[in-house]
Amino acid sequence: MKLIAITGGIATGKSVISRYLRSLGYPVIDADVIGHEVLDREDVKAQIIAHFGDVLDLDGNVDRKKLGLIVFSDKDKLRELNEITHQKITDEILNQAKELAIVNDEIFVEAAVLFEMGLDKCVDFVIVADCPDEMRIQRMILRDHLNYQEALKRIHSQMQREEYLKRADLIVDTSGDINRTFDQIFEMLNKKPWCGKI
C-alpha cells in the first residue's frame, strides 16, 4: 500500500485535486473533515474552552470561525490548538488508511498541515498544490467571504510557499484552468511516480 499526500497552502486547490481523484475511484482521506470530528469530541472541546474561552456555537459545538479569528491572529494560540489536535488527527488518518489498505493499493490523504503534523514522515509521496499568493487571496475572498487582510493573515499563519515547494515530490500547478490541473493529475496517475520511490 502506498500512502500519498496532497498538501499545499490554503486555497491552492487541494480539494479540486481530491475531488478529481475521488471521481476516478481513488480513496481520499480528508484531514480537514477528521479535524472537524476531533474538535467535536467532548474531551477536545473541554481543552479548547480551557485554552481559548467560550468559542462554542448555540448548539454547543466549536464555532470554527470564532476559533479561527483567535488562532490565525496569534501564532502561539495556533501552536496551542495544534498541540491539542494534531496527534489525534494523525492517529485517525492512519487508522482509516489501514482499513482502506485492505482493498486499495493507493490511498491519498489531503492534509493542509501535513508537515506541521509530522504526517509527512508517515506517507510515501508528497504532492503539493501550488499557485501564486495573490491568486490564493482572491480565492479566499470569493470562497470564504474574507477581506484582504484576513486572507493574508491565513497565508502568513502557514508555512511559506517556497517551503512547500522544497518539500514536494511532485508539484501540481493550479494557477491555470481546472482542465489543466486535471491533465497534470491524469499524467501523474499514468506514471505513478511513487512506485519508483523507496
Side-chain angles (χ1 to χ4, degrees), residues 69-87:
L69 288 172
I70 295 168
V71 300
F72 291 122
S73 303
D74 185 330
K75 286 197 170 176
D76 288 332
K77 295 284 185 192
L78 182 60
R79 183 182 44 74
E80 284 176 38
L81 177 64
N82 291 344
E83 284 171 4
I84 294 167
T85 59
H86 277 180
Q87 191 56 54

Side-chain angles (χ1 to χ4, degrees), residues 111-124:
V113 287
L114 179 85
F115 301 112
E116 295 88 333
M117 286 198 298
L119 188 59
D120 58 308
K121 296 173 183 68
C122 306
V123 302
D124 300 292

Side-chain angles (χ1 to χ4, degrees), residues 77-195:
K77 295 284 185 192
L78 182 60
R79 183 182 44 74
E80 284 176 38
L81 177 64
N82 291 344
E83 284 171 4
I84 294 167
T85 59
H86 277 180
Q87 191 56 54
K88 294 175 179 71
I89 295 167
T90 298
D91 291 346
E92 183 54 31
I93 288 169
L94 296 177
N95 285 338
Q96 288 191 21
K98 273 181 203 159
E99 286 177 24
L100 288 165
I102 296 166
V103 289
N104 295 277
D105 294 329
E106 293 153 338
I107 297 154
F108 292 85
V109 55
E110 180 190 333
V113 287
L114 179 85
F115 301 112
E116 295 88 333
M117 286 198 298
L119 188 59
D120 58 308
K121 296 173 183 68
C122 306
V123 302
D124 300 292
F125 195 82
V126 176
I127 300 162
V128 168
D130 177 64
C131 66
D133 288 350
E134 270 310 309
M135 186 173 280
R136 295 166 64 194
I137 288 168
Q138 293 311 313
R139 286 175 180 175
M140 276 187 275
I141 289 168
L142 289 169
R143 183 190 74 186
D144 304 327
H145 311 293
L146 300 176
N147 63 39
Y148 190 93
Q149 285 306 317
E150 286 169 337
L152 198 59
K153 260 185 199 172
R154 297 209 170 193
I155 285 176
H156 288 157
S157 75
Q158 295 185 323
M159 248 173 33
Q160 292 302 297
R161 181 185 181 195
E162 295 74 24
E163 192 61 30
Y164 282 109
L165 299 179
K166 197 162 64 178
R167 299 191 191 194
D169 290 313
L170 180 81
I171 297 162
V172 175
D173 177 5
T174 61
S175 61
D177 69 52
I178 199 162
N179 288 321
R180 189 161 155 252
T181 299
F182 291 166
D183 287 345
Q184 292 172 77
I185 300 302
F186 196 72
E187 184 183 350
M188 173 194 78
L189 292 170
N190 280 332
K191 289 183 176 172
K192 295 188 185 294
W194 46 83
C195 289

